[in-house]
Amino acid sequence: YAMPTLAYHEGLPGHHFQIALAQESDLPLFRNALTVLGYTEGWALYAERLAWDLGWYEDDPYGDIGRLQMEAFRAARLVIDTGIHAKGWTYDEALAFFVENVGFNSGDNVSSDFEISRYIAWPGQSASYMIGMLEILELRQEAMEELGGNFNLKEFHNVLLSNGSMP
């Protein structure tokens, strides 16, 4: 049930699409080779949200449950990152929060142990994903308001993606 959301994040319209467009564009090497996490992962979260916005889950209630669980996962990561680095949570406290609030168990497609270790080692990573997605949504809203009936979602995405990874 989580596979559609994972596919939208990693494949189309996510990372695979994003990186392929950048590699096909005539950009300086650093814009293709450098990964700015807020941009790259922000796009992938935006891609997950875009699938919902476009109605791709309408005939897939199980896929939609997977999407909702991934949203809970993203929210829990923000809390865990803050708990560890600002509140002094232990590994076990962070793990208990994760399991209780996201519902992933041992053997699921997400390793709870890996996720907690990831946020211990990389402070602010979860925030960069979310900030990137929120910035893209804000830019889209501004473009929609500015352009009105002339707004074209595909053109917005082309402009956003054709410039490569940047802050």
Side-chain angles (χ1 to χ4, degrees):
Y1 61 92
M3 186 49 88
T5 300
L6 180 62
Y8 300 142
H9 181 103
E10 298 295 346
L12 294 172
H15 289 312
H16 178 74
F17 182 69
Q18 170 193 40
I19 293 166
L21 281 180
Q23 289 177 344
E24 291 173 357
S25 298
D26 186 26
L27 296 171
L29 179 61
F30 76 92
R31 295 277 282 284
N32 279 327
L34 180 66
T35 298
V36 178
L37 205 58
Y39 172 83
T40 304
E41 294 298 343
W43 171 261
L45 289 190
Y46 173 81
E48 292 177 20
R49 166 74 181 264
L50 180 64
W52 183 77
D53 289 345
L54 295 175
W56 294 357
Y57 290 100
E58 285 178 8
D59 296 324
D60 184 10
Y62 292 109
D64 199 31
I65 289 170
R67 176 189 66 82
L68 292 169
Q69 186 176 36
M70 291 309 292
E71 285 189 14
F73 169 58
R74 309 287 187 228
R77 291 188 330 177
L78 290 167
V79 174
I80 289 165
D81 198 348
T82 304
I84 291 168
H85 298 288
K87 302 290 186 184
W89 284 9
T90 66
Y91 179 94
D92 290 336
E93 288 172 318
L95 183 61
F97 180 88
F98 187 78
V99 170
E100 181 179 326
N101 288 282
V102 181
F104 288 131
N105 296 304
S106 181
D108 285 345
N109 64 333
V110 173
S111 166
S112 302
D113 291 324
F114 172 80
E115 291 301 323
I116 302 308
S117 298
R118 179 178 173 179
Y119 302 113
I120 289 171
W122 199 343
Q125 181 193 28
S126 61
S128 68
Y129 281 54
M130 190 60 65
I131 290 168
M133 181 194 71
L134 293 174
E135 182 65 22
I136 293 169
L137 288 170
E138 185 177 317
L139 289 169
R140 183 176 83 180
Q141 186 61 40
E142 287 177 17
M144 290 170 67
E145 290 171 6
E146 180 74 23
L147 297 171
N150 292 323
F151 176 77
N152 181 302
L153 186 60
K154 288 180 184 179
E155 184 60 28
F156 172 77
H157 293 152
N158 285 337
V159 169
L160 187 69
L161 296 173
S162 66
N163 289 292
S165 186
M166 58 187 156

